Amino acid sequence: MKILITGATGLIGGRLSRACIEGGITVHYLTTSKEKIQDKPNFKGFYWDPASEEIDSKAFDGVSKIVHLAGASISKRWTKSYKQEIMESRTHTANLLFETLQEIKHDVQYFISASGVSIYPNSKTKLYTEESTAVDSTFLAEVVLAWEAAADQFKSLGMEVTKVRTGVVFSEEDSALQKIVAPIKAYVGAPLGSGKQWQSWIHLDDIVGIYLHCIKNNLEGVFNAVAPNPVTNKKLTKQIAARLDRPLWLPNVPGFILKLVLGEMAILVLRGQLVSSRKIEEHGYVFRHYNLESALDHLL
Ligand SMILES: NC(=O)c1ccc[n+]([C@@H]2O[C@H](COP(=O)([O-])OP(=O)(O)OC[C@H]3O[C@@H](n4cnc5c(N)ncnc54)[C@H](OP(=O)(O)O)[C@@H]3O)[C@@H](O)[C@H]2O)c1
């Protein structure tokens, strides 16, 4: 099998590419950086510049499935122009793939796109499944809606479409976990806001495992990609501190301070959704890291 990955040079895409190659799947990838182009027997890069609608259509040669992971980071300051980049790096890129497939001969039958659990409203007790139609009122929810709509247009080309609503990914590399760990290591860690907001996290091994599982089994539709045991921000902070053998002596960081420092981005740490992993498990995926303890033992 040969697949095309956008965002293959990122956290999830890098690990997914390696897992594909190890599993005998050839990877083509589209990158916006010419210096990231490699040309190996099972891993071949192609250039695209979505802003000017430039794309190397050789990237689609022999490809039967597309994995769309490209997207500007959401953890840089949300200025007006950067918000536009967050949105368009997901939707315009999907549109460019869609328009290109309409113009060339190809064998693509399956399109799987990253998506986010931030589509669901903030919740303390409500558990969100993929059936939920409630949509949050934040900028991130707006992005997810447009991103999923951009993915859905591939259905009109007769393709199967899958959207992976991903929780916050924890890994040993540069990830959200490292940003939480740093102040705790430096003895200045504390829960954020009320500390009661849910953190629907997932280990990098499992998000990669879920993509592979969907690709290999042609799973179609929406899937939440979160570990089966979400934790509150307070529990997460406490467990990391215990794992690192650091005291937590400061009071919670008040929400208004986080809003002052982070602006609109504060929703990333002050809001949270309780999200169900049941559907992907019912479709045969077996998590490697069910609990935070297991993930932290592996990552810290
Ligand atoms: N990591 C998480 O916690 C998490 C949670 C929920 C959803 N997701 C989503 O899953 C996807 C992959 O996540 P990730 O953590 O692997 O992301 P990442 O490490 O930030 O990598 C994303 C990739 O997207 C490409 N990219 C960045 N800015 C772009 C732009 N303006 N236009 C086109 N391409 C651009 C880059 O590839 P090139 O430089 O090669 O072009 C980059 O390597 C993202 O869409 C992300 O929003 C991630």
Side-chain angles (χ1 to χ4, degrees):
M1 185 184 352
K2 193 188 279 180
I3 65 171
L4 173 63
I5 304 181
T6 72
T9 60
L11 177 70
I12 299 171
R15 193 69 77 83
L16 177 63
S17 297
R18 252 186 283 156
C20 285
I21 294 164
E22 281 163 19
I25 299 173
T26 298
V27 175
H28 278 187
Y29 64 98
L30 281 162
T31 175
T32 55
S33 301
K34 286 187 174 152
E35 62 274 21
K36 292 186 195 164
I37 293 177
Q38 295 184 44
D39 190 353
K40 294 182 180 163
N42 294 326
F43 188 62
K44 199 167 161 50
F46 299 86
Y47 179 70
W48 70 339
D49 176 19
S52 65
E53 305 208 339
E54 181 184 348
I55 183 166
D56 185 345
S57 61
K58 288 195 285 300
F60 298 88
D61 284 355
V63 165
S64 58
K65 296 183 181 179
I66 296 178
V67 186
H68 181 43
L69 301 175
S73 168
I74 58 162
S75 52
K76 282 192 207 159
R77 190 138 193 109
W78 292 2
T79 59
K80 199 170 169 223
S81 66
Y82 193 66
K83 279 167 80 174
Q84 191 178 348
E85 188 173 340
I86 289 176
M87 175 70 90
E88 293 181 353
S89 59
R90 290 165 173 81
T91 55
H92 282 192
T93 46
N95 294 345
L96 181 56
L97 295 169
F98 179 72
E99 283 153 19
T100 309
L101 288 178
Q102 284 177 303
E103 286 163 13
I104 61 169
K105 270 193 150 189
H106 66 85
D107 302 313
V108 183
Q109 293 141 18
Y110 185 85
F111 185 85
I112 181 166
S113 174
S115 176
V117 296
S118 44
I119 193 167
Y120 302 123
N122 195 38
S123 68
K124 290 270 165 22
T125 53
K126 175 153 177 57
L127 180 68
Y128 288 109
T129 69
E130 293 81 349
E131 310 275 282
S132 165
T133 51
V135 175
D136 205 356
S137 54
T138 60
F139 165 66
L140 280 187
E142 203 184 303
V143 170
V144 174
L145 268 187
W147 199 4
E148 293 199 352
D152 280 336
Q153 61 187 334
F154 290 80
K155 288 180 189 166
S156 71
L157 301 178
M159 293 179 196
E160 292 172 321
V161 171
T162 305
K163 291 155 285 186
V164 183
R165 290 184 180 162
T166 309
V168 58
V169 176
F170 285 173
S171 75
E172 55 277 79
E173 294 147 52
D174 182 30
S175 72
L177 180 64
Q178 314 312 327
K179 292 191 176 75
I180 303 167
V181 162
I184 298 174
K185 255 191 186 161
Y187 295 89
V188 290
L192 305 176
S194 71
K196 291 179 184 158
Q197 65 278 30
W198 288 104
Q199 309 263 292
S200 284
W201 61 278
I202 182 166
H203 190 293
L204 181 60
D205 289 348
D206 282 314
I207 184 65
V208 168
I210 287 174
Y211 274 106
L212 270 180
H213 187 72
C214 290
I215 293 166
K216 286 182 180 163
N217 298 292
N218 290 316
L219 296 191
E220 194 182 356
V222 177
F223 290 92
N224 292 334
V226 296
N229 291 291
V231 289
T232 60
N233 175 268
K234 186 174 179 184
K235 189 165 178 208
L236 173 67
T237 312
K238 275 186 164 176
Q239 280 191 230
I240 294 173
R243 184 77 185 68
L244 296 173
D245 205 16
R246 293 288 195 276
L248 282 180
W249 56 277
L250 286 168
N252 291 21
V253 185
F256 77 90
I257 300 241
L258 289 163
K259 283 180 196 153
L260 271 178
V261 176
L262 298 172
E264 194 181 352
M265 263 176 91
I267 61 164
L268 289 176
V269 291
L270 292 176
R271 291 171 81 83
Q273 304 82 3
L274 184 57
V275 178
S276 167
S277 61
R278 182 172 285 190
K279 183 176 173 190
I280 191 69
E281 292 182 276
E282 284 173 354
H283 281 75
Y285 183 71
V286 180
F287 278 87
R288 279 167 231 174
H289 300 280
Y290 277 84
N291 300 307
L292 188 64
E293 291 79 0
S294 150
L296 294 182
D297 280 350
H298 188 244
L299 296 173
L300 296 182

